[in-house]
Amino acid sequence: SLSKKLPSAVITFNPHPRSIVDQDTALFQTLISIEKKIELLHNFNIDYLWLLPFNKDVSLIGADKFLSDYIINCFNPKDIIIGYDHRFGNKRKGGKEFLIKNSKKYNYNLHTMEAVLYNKSPISSSCIRSFLNKGSLSDANACLGRNYELDGRVIKGQGLGKKMGFPTINIEPFINNQLIPASGVYCVDIKIKKKIYTGMCNIGVRPTFYKSGKEVIEAHLFTDSMVECYGRDVCIS
């Protein structure tokens, strides 16, 4: 923790609070699976991670109680680090001013991280969602600091691509509410059983083949070797 050589801890919620408190929760789309979030935090050498289950009861906990019962009681922190616009507690009453006011009472130092800018605007999950919905993957990836990923399983398609000499795999995402980028054709890396293939991925409807207009995520691997894909777990980057 900073220069004091203290262990570091991250508190995050599962599922995402917006999936519970938004008026139309069915419209909420997540950017990342909880498994991927754990993997990324592990790469930053975080010592402790608390996945706090989020539900309507938790959403009603006030900022005072959350600070005293959850943060102070469980961690007794010497330093608390937040983003410049971070808010917590019922009605989002906890924030920078609230934490400064309570810092002497609980004997911690508050550190506020400034916004990271992209094209002169703060990077946020909202701007990343906007880029993905427009199909601007280069902008979304620049804000993420990594390539956007979809994890899923290869499912049985109609086999029409194979008949035309252009075999494809159809992918069903593991997370029902993960944000799928805008319809289009993308250059992708496809990870299957720890091996990565370059490929082309089509996202969208195929009215030529599917009269139902069902949206599909299908990819073609650029390889001459036979790859057993059906039923496999894949990651599209």
Side-chain angles (χ1 to χ4, degrees), residues 133-169:
N133 282 321
K134 292 186 294 187
S136 302
L137 265 293
S138 59
D139 292 315
N141 291 343
C143 292
L144 284 167
R146 59 182 176 85
N147 289 337
Y148 189 62
E149 294 181 352
L150 291 171
D151 290 296
R153 180 161 292 138
V154 178
I155 59 174
K156 194 170 184 62
Q158 293 188 331
L160 297 174
K162 186 176 182 179
K163 291 178 182 178
M164 295 187 298
F166 195 71
T168 60
I169 57 174

Side-chain angles (χ1 to χ4, degrees), residues 128-232:
I128 293 170
R129 286 186 176 88
S130 177
F131 285 136
L132 291 171
N133 282 321
K134 292 186 294 187
S136 302
L137 265 293
S138 59
D139 292 315
N141 291 343
C143 292
L144 284 167
R146 59 182 176 85
N147 289 337
Y148 189 62
E149 294 181 352
L150 291 171
D151 290 296
R153 180 161 292 138
V154 178
I155 59 174
K156 194 170 184 62
Q158 293 188 331
L160 297 174
K162 186 176 182 179
K163 291 178 182 178
M164 295 187 298
F166 195 71
T168 60
I169 57 174
N170 288 61
I171 296 100
E172 184 175 73
F174 288 135
I175 306 174
N176 291 330
N177 65 329
Q178 180 163 6
L179 196 158
I180 308 299
S183 296
V185 180
Y186 300 93
C187 178
V188 294
D189 285 333
I190 305 168
K191 186 176 182 181
I192 305 174
K193 290 192 70 177
K194 297 184 179 181
K195 188 169 183 179
I196 297 176
Y197 303 87
T198 300
M200 179 178 69
C201 180
N202 173 58
I203 296 176
V205 294
R206 297 194 304 172
T208 305
F209 297 137
Y210 293 115
K211 293 181 181 180
S212 65
K214 181 182 178 182
E215 185 178 66
V216 295
I217 302 173
E218 57 181 0
H220 172 69
L221 281 62
F222 298 155
T223 177
D224 293 327
S225 60
M226 291 293 293
V227 182
E228 180 58 46
C229 296
Y230 181 62
R232 300 282 190 192

Side-chain angles (χ1 to χ4, degrees), residues 47-191:
D47 294 301
Y48 299 100
L49 171 63
W50 189 10
L51 293 175
L52 185 58
F54 195 86
N55 52 41
K56 288 190 177 181
D57 289 337
V58 174
S59 73
L60 297 176
I61 297 173
D64 285 297
K65 183 175 179 60
F66 189 84
L67 176 61
S68 63
D69 293 6
Y70 288 77
I71 298 177
I72 303 302
N73 184 53
C74 294
F75 296 98
N76 187 28
K78 299 304 177 187
D79 297 279
I80 294 178
I81 306 169
I82 62 169
Y84 73 101
D85 61 348
H86 178 67
R87 312 291 299 182
F88 66 94
N90 184 241
K91 298 182 180 179
R92 294 170 55 83
K93 290 186 176 181
K96 180 179 178 180
E97 298 79 10
F98 172 84
L99 289 170
I100 290 174
K101 184 180 71 174
N102 283 280
S103 61
K104 288 186 178 180
K105 176 181 177 181
Y106 293 118
N107 191 31
Y108 61 76
N109 297 305
L110 179 69
H111 308 270
T112 304
M113 305 303 295
E114 296 303 319
V116 178
L117 303 181
Y118 179 73
N119 289 340
K120 299 182 180 180
S121 297
I123 293 176
S124 66
S125 58
S126 296
C127 80
I128 293 170
R129 286 186 176 88
S130 177
F131 285 136
L132 291 171
N133 282 321
K134 292 186 294 187
S136 302
L137 265 293
S138 59
D139 292 315
N141 291 343
C143 292
L144 284 167
R146 59 182 176 85
N147 289 337
Y148 189 62
E149 294 181 352
L150 291 171
D151 290 296
R153 180 161 292 138
V154 178
I155 59 174
K156 194 170 184 62
Q158 293 188 331
L160 297 174
K162 186 176 182 179
K163 291 178 182 178
M164 295 187 298
F166 195 71
T168 60
I169 57 174
N170 288 61
I171 296 100
E172 184 175 73
F174 288 135
I175 306 174
N176 291 330
N177 65 329
Q178 180 163 6
L179 196 158
I180 308 299
S183 296
V185 180
Y186 300 93
C187 178
V188 294
D189 285 333
I190 305 168
K191 186 176 182 181

